[in-house]
Amino acid sequence: MRAAMILTLLAAVLFPRLDFAFGGAPKALKLERAFPVGNRHGAVVELSHLRARDKARHGRRLDSVDGVVDFPVDGTYDPYLIGLYFTRVQLGTPPKEFYVQIDTGSDVLWVTCSGCSGCPHTSGLNIPLGFYNSGSSSTASLVACTDAKCSLGMQSSDSGCSISTNQCSYSFQYGDGSGTSGYYVSDLLNLMTVVGGSEISNVSASIVFGCSTLQTGDLTKSDRAVDGIFGFGQQDMSVISQLASEGVAPRAFSHCLKGSDGGGGILVLGEIVEPNMVYSPLVPSQPHYNVNLQSISVNGQILPIDPAVFATSGNQGTIIDSGTTLAYLAEEAYDVFVQTISDAVAQSVRPMLNKGNICYKITASLNAIFPQVSFNFAGDASMILKPEDYLLQQNSIGGSPVWCVGFQKIQGQGVTILGDLVLKDKIVVYDLAGQRIGWATYDCSSSVNVSTATSTGQSEYVNTGQLSRGDALQNVPYGLAASSVLTLLIRSLFL
C-alpha cells in the first residue's frame, strides 16, 4: 500500500462443505469475524460506533504442494457488532502461531516482534498474543537493503534503509493517528496440508513480512488486539503477490461473507465459479480496489446523479472494501439515494431521525415495503441490493423493529466505499491478473466451486469437504458451530 496515498485518502474520508476446483492442489486458511467480549446477541451497536470502527480500519488500509492447508478458525462474524476477520498463521522454525487480521486495504503481512514498544500484551478477543523473534527461528534472515523485496517496498514509499546496518525497514503512518514501524524479515510460512481428507503433512513457503517494533494509536489498544495484519492488497509486497510471482498461487482471491448472526463464510485464493457472476474492470494504477460505478437505480429507475460523482480522480472514486463494516456514499449521491428510498416507502412508513440517522419503524415484512436497489458498474455489471443490504436493524420501538439506513454520507470528498453491509451474502471475486472484480448474490453457507486452469489447461475439482474441521474447532472460543467457519483456501499450482 502506498502510505502517502492512503494517508491522503483516509484524511479525506469520514473515518471512520465447500466444493471447489483448483488447478493443482489447494491450500487453505480459515478465518472469521470477531467481536470484543461482552458484546453479544441482543446488544445494540450505534451506527456512530460502526463509523468509528470503519474510520480506524480505513486507516490500516514455494514449491508446489499437494493437499489442502487447513488453518484453525477463531472468533465469529456479526454485522451488528464491532469485529474483524482474523486467522492464525505459523511463522518460523520451529513454527510459532500468530493471530493476524485480514485486511484487503493494505498489502504487507506484519506481526509484533520481541521488544515491541506500545504493542498490547492482552486482547479483548480472548486470544493469546505472542511476539515473533527472528533470533529464535533457524530459518529467519533479515532483509538487506540490496534485496529486491526491499526495493519493492521503497517503490511504494513503505520501506526505508539503514545504511549502518544494511537492514530494510518500514514505517506505516495511518490517517487515524496510529502507526507501526519495524524491519522486514524473510522466514517460513508454515502450512498444514490435508490430502484426501485423511493424510496430513506439513509444508512451508518462504515469504518476506514485517517485524513490528513500534505501534502507536489504536494499534496499542487491547480491546480488539491481534498479533498483526495480513494485507490482501495488490502491491508486490503482499503475500498473494509474493506467492504468485513464484508460481505458487494465482493472482486472484474471492470471498463470500455470510450475513446472518452466525456469521462465517469463505475467503479463497483463486476464483469462485458461479454461473451468475458478473464482472467489472478495476480502475488501473490504484492502491485500492477501485471500480467505475456509473449509476444507482431504485425500483429500476436511475437516480439523477452525475456519473462524475463516482469517477476515479486523484483520491476520489468508488472502492470495494471488505475491511469496511458499513457503506459510504459521496454527498451528492447520498441525499438523492435516501430521499428516493423514503419516497418509495412513504405510504407504508415514515422516516424518523434516530441519533442523526435516517430510520424507519417497520410493522410489516421488510422486503414487502422497501425497494430493490441496483448499483450499476462499467462492463454492464449490476450489483443488486436487497433492503438488508442498505438497511441495518438498530433496535425496536413498541415491539416493532427499527431499521436505519446503513449507508453513511461522506461530505465533499467524492468518495464511495462499499463495505460488508453491501458485500455480505455475495460471492466477490478479485481477479488481479485479469484486473477485474466480479460478484453474484449467493448463500454463503453453501458450498462453492473454485476453478483455475493448470499448466495442462485443464481444471481439477477437489471436494473441500475433505477439510477436517473437528480438530480446528476444538479450541475455538465462544463455542462456535461449524456453520461459522470462514475459510481461506489457497491454490498451490498456478499456470
Side-chain angles (χ1 to χ4, degrees):
M1 174 177 65
R2 300 179 184 273
M5 297 179 69
I6 191 65
L7 272 173
T8 305
L9 172 64
L10 295 173
V13 178
L14 275 187
F15 306 177
R17 81 182 275 117
L18 291 171
D19 294 322
F20 63 95
F22 276 131
K27 312 190 258 268
L29 286 170
K30 295 182 182 178
L31 54 115
E32 61 178 64
R33 197 86 155 153
F35 59 94
V37 173
N39 246 344
R40 199 54 190 114
H41 296 297
V44 176
V45 176
E46 301 293 345
L47 287 178
S48 60
H49 294 171
L50 293 175
R51 285 195 298 265
R53 171 60 175 156
D54 284 340
K55 174 183 175 181
R57 296 187 74 172
H58 292 161
R60 301 195 296 253
R61 297 232 186 202
L62 274 210
D63 290 331
S64 298
V65 296
D66 294 326
V68 176
V69 176
D70 190 6
F71 281 70
V73 178
D74 298 282
T76 185
Y77 168 75
D78 190 323
Y80 300 109
L81 296 169
I82 304 173
L84 54 87
Y85 294 106
F86 65 93
T87 188
R88 299 183 222 180
V89 297
Q90 291 189 341
L91 299 170
T93 306
K96 184 173 182 179
E97 194 167 67
F98 299 92
Y99 294 83
V100 287
Q101 177 184 343
I102 303 300
D103 182 13
T104 60
S106 64
D107 300 287
V108 174
L109 166 63
W110 62 263
V111 295
T112 56
C113 282
S114 299
C116 181
S117 176
C119 300
H121 289 256
T122 60
S123 174
L125 300 176
N126 276 353
I127 57 175
L129 299 182
F131 293 83
Y132 174 82
N133 185 348
S134 60
S136 299
S137 173
S138 62
T139 50
S141 62
L142 302 182
V143 178
C145 296
T146 54
D147 192 290
K149 289 295 195 309
C150 186
S151 299
L152 292 176
M154 295 178 71
Q155 290 173 5
S156 59
S157 303
D158 292 335
S159 298
C161 194
S162 172
I163 299 177
S164 60
T165 62
N166 190 31
Q167 185 172 305
C168 188
S169 61
Y170 70 88
S171 180
F172 305 137
Q173 296 298 320
Y174 305 120
D176 64 349
S178 66
T180 177
S181 60
Y183 54 91
Y184 284 115
V185 177
S186 176
D187 208 342
L188 294 183
L189 171 63
N190 296 277
L191 311 169
M192 178 177 290
T193 306
V194 181
V195 182
S198 57
E199 181 183 348
I200 297 177
S201 62
N202 294 319
V203 296
S204 59
S206 180
I207 62 168
V208 170
F209 58 92
C211 187
S212 175
T213 58
L214 174 66
Q215 292 173 26
T216 59
D218 280 353
L219 290 175
T220 67
K221 297 179 180 179
S222 296
D223 58 344
R224 44 188 167 81
V226 289
D227 291 318
I229 293 179
F230 199 158
F232 274 78
Q234 303 182 64
Q235 303 301 315
D236 292 333
M237 282 295 283
S238 72
V239 172
I240 293 176
S241 294
Q242 291 186 59
L243 296 179
S245 68
E246 298 174 13
V248 175
R251 281 187 58 80
F253 67 96
S254 313
H255 61 66
C256 190
L257 305 178
K258 190 178 175 183
S260 65
D261 284 352
I266 305 156
L267 176 60
V268 303
L269 291 191
E271 297 183 40
I272 295 178
V273 178
E274 163 61 28
N276 297 320
M277 293 291 298
V278 295
Y279 287 89
S280 185
L282 279 168
V283 179
S285 304
Q286 297 298 314
H288 305 288
Y289 293 112
N290 283 73
V291 286
N292 285 307
L293 176 61
Q294 297 178 330
S295 65
I296 300 175
S297 302
V298 175
N299 274 337
Q301 298 298 312
I302 295 179
L303 303 186
I305 302 172
D306 187 346
V309 170
F310 307 118
T312 300
S313 176
N315 293 318
Q316 299 179 341
T318 302
I319 301 168
I320 290 182
D321 181 12
S322 63
T324 293
T325 302
L326 301 174
Y328 296 77
L329 276 176
E331 180 178 9
E332 299 86 345
Y334 177 87
D335 293 334
V336 177
F337 176 73
V338 173
Q339 186 60 54
T340 303
I341 296 296
S342 294
D343 291 344
V345 301
Q347 294 185 353
S348 301
V349 295
R350 292 186 177 181
M352 61 182 182
L353 280 177
N354 184 0
K355 298 182 179 180
N357 303 300
I358 305 298
C359 302
Y360 311 87
K361 180 182 176 182
I362 308 300
T363 58
S365 167
L366 190 69
N367 288 291
I369 298 175
F370 284 85
Q372 177 178 283
V373 171
S374 175
F375 277 53
N376 309 306
F377 297 85
D380 196 25
S382 292
M383 180 180 290
I384 306 302
L385 307 187
K386 305 184 299 296
E388 296 91 338
D389 297 331
Y390 60 83
L391 299 174
L392 281 173
Q393 184 178 350
Q394 284 299 103
N395 48 35
S396 62
I397 298 178
S400 298
V402 174
W403 289 78
C404 301
V405 176
F407 276 81
Q408 306 298 297
K409 182 192 296 188
I410 297 181
Q411 295 180 328
Q413 306 301 329
V415 176
T416 294
I417 304 174
L418 306 182
D420 291 346
L421 175 68
V422 171
L423 301 179
K424 70 181 189 301
D425 300 320
K426 295 176 182 65
I427 293 171
V428 182
V429 174
Y430 302 75
D431 178 8
L432 305 186
Q435 283 294 287
R436 62 179 186 168
I437 288 185
W439 55 84
T441 300
Y442 200 76
D443 178 0
C444 296
S445 64
S446 301
S447 59
V448 297
N449 292 323
V450 180
S451 179
T452 306
T454 66
S455 58
T456 62
Q458 299 177 343
S459 293
E460 298 182 8
Y461 290 81
V462 180
N463 186 345
T464 56
Q466 294 171 343
L467 286 175
S468 174
R469 294 180 179 175
D471 293 340
L473 292 174
Q474 286 179 359
N475 297 320
V476 175
Y478 320 123
L480 299 176
S483 62
S484 67
V485 172
L486 178 62
T487 309
L488 170 62
L489 304 163
I490 305 180
R491 182 178 75 90
S492 64
L493 293 178
F494 179 51
L495 177 60

